[in-house]
Amino acid sequence: MTIKEIAKLAGVSNAAVSRYLNGGSLSAEKHDRIQKVVEENKYVPSAYARVMRTKKSNQIGVIVPKINSESVPRIVSGISEVLNEESYKFVLADTNNNVKRELEYLEIFQNSQLAGVIFIATILTKKHMELLKQMNIPVVIIGQHLSGYSCVSYNDFHAAYDLAKVLLNHCKGAMGMICVTDKDKAAGAARKQGVLEALKDAGKSEKDLITVLSQFTIESGFESMKQLLEKAPSIDTVFCATDNIAVGAMLYLREIGKKIPEEIRLTGIGNNQVAQIISPSLTTAKYYYKTSGIEAAKILLDLIKDNNQPVKHMQLGYEIIKRQTTLE
């Protein structure tokens, strides 16, 4: 018997049944009607039955790199939307971009009674692989593609390629790139490869790309833009690996009096809120972060119900949004 069937027999909504099963607030009348149906049909909520059978709860572990980033709250919102509908709760572990803490949470969740784990991943080390292999509960990864695991990722290569093409339409010499470490296979390696491919198709080479490394913050983007101009003072186009980095770069350019886009054009990736309100507004690639959370949660719940399901890899699309930091 399902929640929907109980709701129909009791003459109440699905949400009312869910609140009853989870001890939520409910009128006495609705409570009694639902209780009668439950008792007459000897219904045991599936989540509780699973606890009795497998010693695992109806809780999901969610590991995030930084809760106060632009993308993570949107991803978590999607996860929460799906889990709430199925009467699952989640435990949120914020690693604050600390790899050691990330590994600690993986170990804790591995030895817990959680039903499954959603892991928003950045850099995957050998130790990550070891811990993931030891997991005896389903795991779904968001943001990276890891062979052997169900993943929801973004099309980083093609998004970067398309943005670089926009910049190359007005690039007179070398292109600048403020990138993140290649150890991050998505935001780092894949986006850099997309830019290099666009350069190749434009008749340029890797020598025409001047790079500096950055962290994911606005502050780091500011400093990296300074370093980039010290390396190549004459560049007129800059590809930034993320919107936050691009915003930091713009703040530095504004400080030194460089005009955007007349003297330097630049792009980011992510379409965060600051990208839309900063002046000039930022050309970027829109990613569907909430959708990634929704799809990851759906995949995980399917795995919890049947762990023998095949590995699923879902790559989401993107949209190039041209704004004022480029000339088109």
Side-chain angles (χ1 to χ4, degrees):
M1 175 172 275
T2 65
I3 287 176
K4 188 180 293 185
E5 289 169 337
I6 294 172
K8 185 177 180 180
L9 289 171
V12 298
S13 67
N14 293 349
V17 177
S18 180
R19 286 197 297 273
Y20 170 87
L21 295 174
N22 288 286
S25 176
L26 206 60
S27 70
E29 180 189 1
K30 288 184 179 180
H31 181 279
D32 292 344
R33 281 155 60 184
I34 295 169
Q35 183 174 340
K36 182 179 179 182
V37 173
V38 167
E39 291 177 350
E40 286 179 352
N41 290 274
K42 298 181 180 179
Y43 174 77
V44 178
S46 59
Y48 301 141
R50 182 165 50 252
V51 172
M52 294 169 63
R53 184 175 66 255
T54 67
K55 304 304 181 185
K56 291 184 174 63
S57 70
N58 66 333
Q59 289 189 320
I60 305 298
V62 179
I63 301 175
V64 306
K66 197 172 183 65
I67 191 61
N68 62 348
S69 71
E70 281 284 341
S71 59
V72 168
R74 287 184 272 174
I75 297 171
V76 172
S77 175
I79 294 170
S80 177
E81 185 175 297
V82 173
L83 296 185
N84 285 340
E85 288 178 0
E86 297 294 327
S87 298
Y88 276 82
K89 309 298 180 185
F90 63 89
V91 178
L92 191 64
D94 180 8
T95 68
N96 199 30
N97 285 322
N98 185 311
V99 174
K100 182 180 179 182
R101 192 175 300 170
E102 196 170 79
L103 294 170
E104 288 174 352
Y105 278 127
L106 280 172
E107 286 189 289
I108 291 169
F109 286 175
Q110 172 196 334
N111 298 313
S112 71
Q113 292 184 338
L114 295 172
V117 171
I118 295 175
F119 179 24
I120 304 175
T122 52
I123 297 173
L124 293 172
T125 66
K126 183 179 179 181
K127 183 62 176 177
H128 283 90
M129 307 299 188
E130 292 174 0
L131 290 174
L132 286 169
K133 284 182 180 179
Q134 294 170 17
M135 285 284 189
N136 58 359
I137 54 177
V139 178
V140 176
I141 296 170
I142 296 178
Q144 301 285 343
H145 180 202
L146 182 61
S147 179
Y149 295 87
S150 289
C151 307
V152 179
S153 63
Y154 313 109
N155 197 337
D156 293 286
F157 175 88
H158 285 101
Y161 176 90
D162 287 347
L163 283 167
K165 292 288 281 187
V166 172
L167 288 171
L168 286 165
N169 287 337
H170 301 281
C171 181
K172 296 176 181 177
M175 177 187 286
M177 181 175 183
I178 304 178
C179 48
V180 298
T181 175
D182 282 355
K183 292 179 181 179
D184 185 325
K185 300 301 181 185
R191 294 179 192 180
K192 185 176 180 180
Q193 285 303 313
V195 172
L196 288 171
E197 189 68 18
L199 283 168
K200 178 182 175 183
D201 289 349
K204 296 177 180 288
S205 71
E206 189 169 353
K207 293 180 181 178
D208 295 306
L209 184 67
I210 312 300
T211 64
V212 294
L213 277 176
S214 174
Q215 301 298 316
F216 287 90
T217 65
I218 291 174
E219 294 79 10
S220 186
F222 183 99
E223 293 300 324
S224 295
M225 187 72 242
K226 180 180 179 181
Q227 294 172 25
L228 184 60
L229 286 179
E230 288 172 352
K231 288 179 70 174
S234 64
I235 58 168
D236 58 8
T237 53
V238 181
F239 180 99
C240 300
T242 73
D243 282 357
N244 273 353
I245 290 172
V247 169
M250 291 172 66
L251 292 176
Y252 178 74
L253 293 173
R254 181 185 298 171
E255 184 174 284
I256 64 173
K258 285 279 189 181
K259 295 180 181 179
I260 306 169
E262 292 84 359
E263 295 180 85
I264 291 187
R265 292 158 293 285
L266 74 166
T267 65
I269 287 186
N271 193 41
N272 67 27
Q273 290 182 338
V274 179
Q276 301 172 50
I277 63 175
I278 195 170
S279 181
S281 56
L282 180 65
T283 293
T284 186
K286 178 181 179 180
Y287 278 7
Y288 300 96
Y289 291 117
K290 183 174 180 179
T291 301
S292 70
I294 289 171
E295 296 300 333
K298 287 180 178 178
I299 293 170
L300 184 65
L301 291 180
D302 286 343
L303 287 169
I304 290 170
K305 293 171 186 174
D306 179 10
N307 202 21
N308 293 318
Q309 290 200 36
V311 167
K312 181 181 290 187
H313 177 215
M314 180 180 294
Q315 187 176 76
L316 300 181
Y318 59 92
E319 178 185 353
I320 299 298
I321 300 178
K322 297 177 183 178
R323 296 197 181 102
Q324 297 169 340
T325 57
T326 51
L327 291 174
E328 52 179 282

